[in-house]
């Protein structure tokens, strides 16, 4: 007698993965704020433009907290929500990277994390476009 597993609920798993990504984004946003406010983060954090860093961090915390209910209540289309979240990440992390000294700080790797998650969650041509936008953001910051 073979054991049968219950059929996978694909919808449940995709939204659960998106919830985990939303949690990561909140931890990251609050981490930026705590590291800067407590002066416990790396020295390069906000080294070039502290006012821009604080502004970007406040916006990031607000936007991540605003997108969390959209994920939990499934208010938007799944794909649109993934794209929205990742584009917010790319924009804000690029600004944070600029305020902290540019690509040499390594903050651009946070963009790579968001792009990777988008590729895993979407798995479509849109993920290629998101990867291109992320790469252009990092290269644009370097120029």
């Amino acid at each position: 007698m073979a054991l049968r597993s219950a059929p996978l609920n694909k919808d449940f798993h995709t939204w659960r993965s998106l919830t985990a990504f939303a949690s990561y984004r909140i931890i990251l946003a609050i981490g930026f704020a705590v590291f800067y406010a407590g002066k416990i983060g790396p020295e390069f954090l906000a080294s070039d433009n502290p006012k821009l860093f604080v502004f970007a961090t406040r916006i990031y915390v607000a936007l991540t907290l605003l997108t969390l209910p959209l994920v939990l209540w499934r208010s938007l289309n799944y794909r649109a929500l993934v794209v929205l979240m990742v584009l917010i990440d790319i924009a804000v992390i690029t600004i944070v990277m600029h305020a902290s000294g540019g690509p040499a700080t390594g903050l651009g790797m946070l963009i790579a994390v968001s792009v990777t998650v988008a590729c895993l969650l979407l798995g479509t041509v849109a993920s290629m476009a998101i990867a291109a936008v992320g790469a252009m953001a990092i290269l644009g910051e370097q120029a």
Side-chain angles (χ1 to χ4, degrees):
M1 180 172 164
L3 293 175
R4 291 186 184 174
S5 62
L8 290 176
N9 184 347
K10 187 176 180 183
D11 187 53
F12 170 77
H13 290 290
T14 54
W15 282 98
R16 187 171 179 187
S17 299
L18 189 59
T19 304
F21 180 51
S23 301
Y24 157 77
R25 295 174 72 240
I26 290 172
I27 291 168
L28 180 63
I30 293 173
F32 281 152
V34 168
F35 286 158
Y36 178 75
K39 300 196 185 324
I40 57 174
E43 291 179 10
F44 63 79
L45 214 55
S47 60
D48 282 3
N49 193 338
K51 288 182 180 181
L52 180 63
F53 181 87
V54 169
F55 176 75
T57 300
R58 286 179 180 168
I59 294 295
Y60 195 40
V61 169
L63 290 175
T64 56
L65 291 175
L66 287 173
T67 56
L68 184 62
L70 297 176
V71 172
L72 296 177
W73 299 333
R74 300 179 184 183
S75 301
L76 288 177
N77 178 306
Y78 174 80
R79 292 186 184 283
L81 196 52
V82 171
V83 171
L84 174 69
M85 290 167 66
V86 173
L87 291 179
I88 290 170
D89 285 358
I90 290 170
V92 173
I93 293 171
T94 302
I95 294 169
V96 166
M97 183 173 49
H98 175 76
S100 299
T105 61
L107 289 172
M109 289 306 295
L110 296 173
I111 293 175
V113 171
S114 293
V115 168
T116 302
V117 169
C119 290
L120 291 171
L121 294 177
L122 293 175
T124 63
V125 176
S127 61
M128 301 262 278
I130 289 172
V133 170
M136 289 186 331
I138 293 173
L139 291 173
E141 173 56 32
Q142 189 172 5

